[in-house]
Amino acid sequence: MAGSAAKRIPGRDHTRSALLFLAPFGLLFTAMLLAPIGYAVYQSFFRTNRSGLGLGPSTTVFAGFDNYLTALHDSRFMSSFLRVFTLGIVQVPVMLGLALLLALLLDSRGAVFKKVFRQIYFLPYALPGVIAAIMWSFLYAPSVSPFTAALRHVGLEVNFLSDDLVLASIGNMMTWAWTGFNMLIIYSALQAIPGELTEAAVMDGCSGWRVAWHVKIPAVRPALILTTVFSIIGTAQLFNEPAVLSQVAPTVSPTYTPILATQQSADINNYNYAATQSVILALLTFVLSFGFLKFTQRKGTFA
């Protein structure tokens, strides 16, 4: 018995050492992620009442699910979800298709200056998001836009900030900024494909695009899943582009996206309602991303 107990002691020591090393991460994870989420959920069940035209003392009362019912019946908040969902349905496949195409071109045998082009494709992502949005706001502004001027010379009057085109303009900004990032993930997955697979396909008579379709793309499906999940989460959190364009485009309202609507609620000191909106946004983002993962696993589309 003593000998067996002595053998178990080193294992316990390893466990304690592992827990000791994990403790800093666990504390930061709890303080910076779990605690704010829990506090937001807690605040969403309360309501602040103010008297005297908002100048009197305020009282906080338990509201139950009233804030959630209010948010679900808020037409502007629900419209922001529909707007972002419509954008994601179109923009995410286009962006990932371009990223996959660029990655395949870089991975092809005939590609030259791979490092140079890889850096060029990745450069838009390296530019801070707000600065990129400000740059695009000048490129879209009708008075100074080179695109508008060029189209005007051929007889077309196009306002990229109009109500009909501003959502497509935001999608173009997102595609420009994030295609290189997703390309790099897919390209890294392509580099991990054993050379024997592509060589065997070439010996069987496959051309370059047939090798890409039958060998490379199936091999990088896990990377496509990862980039799609990242894109779903990023689209749901859309903020920089509409926030900057709202300064030059009257059609971009303060509630244009869910996060902008949440920010507006916080700006008017309605923190309980802002917490409710943020919880709803987090839940829907989780449902969409997790639902996509379950869908691909069940259908075998990407796995």
Side-chain angles (χ1 to χ4, degrees), residues 104-297:
L104 290 172
L105 290 175
L106 284 178
D107 191 61
S108 62
R109 292 188 175 185
V112 295
F113 305 114
K114 292 185 179 182
K115 291 184 179 180
V116 175
F117 282 105
R118 188 168 67 240
Q119 293 175 355
I120 292 174
Y121 297 151
F122 185 74
L123 184 61
Y125 174 75
L127 192 66
V130 174
I131 295 178
I134 294 174
M135 178 192 72
W136 278 103
S137 68
F138 282 102
L139 293 175
Y140 286 147
S143 58
V144 296
S145 172
F147 306 132
T148 301
L151 292 172
R152 190 178 293 120
H153 277 90
V154 296
L156 297 176
E157 191 66 36
V158 178
N159 182 4
F160 294 100
L161 299 179
S162 64
D163 189 40
D164 295 330
L165 294 179
V166 68
L167 191 61
S169 300
I170 293 174
N172 177 67
M173 295 165 64
M174 296 170 61
T175 302
W176 178 84
W178 289 93
T179 297
F181 172 80
N182 293 298
M183 178 275 300
L184 198 61
I185 295 177
I186 299 172
Y187 180 72
S188 299
L190 287 171
Q191 296 297 292
I193 299 176
E196 295 81 1
L197 291 179
T198 55
E199 291 177 2
V202 172
M203 292 179 63
D204 288 339
C206 289
S207 61
W209 287 110
R210 291 183 63 188
V211 172
W213 182 258
H214 294 289
V215 177
K216 293 184 178 181
I217 294 179
V220 299
R221 283 173 180 172
L224 293 175
I225 292 177
L226 179 66
T227 53
T228 303
V229 171
F230 284 169
S231 300
I232 291 173
I233 297 173
T235 302
Q237 298 176 350
L238 180 62
F239 179 81
N240 287 338
E241 290 82 359
V244 172
L245 286 184
S246 64
Q247 306 301 315
V248 295
T251 55
V252 180
S253 65
T255 60
Y256 198 77
T257 67
I259 285 189
L260 284 177
T262 303
Q263 183 66 48
Q264 186 193 43
S265 299
D267 289 341
I268 60 176
N269 297 328
N270 195 352
Y271 299 112
N272 300 109
Y273 189 55
T276 303
Q277 292 174 309
S278 64
V279 171
I280 293 175
L281 175 59
L283 288 175
L284 287 179
T285 303
F286 173 79
V287 169
L288 288 174
S289 56
F290 186 74
F292 172 78
L293 287 175
K294 297 300 292 184
F295 174 78
T296 55
Q297 291 174 0

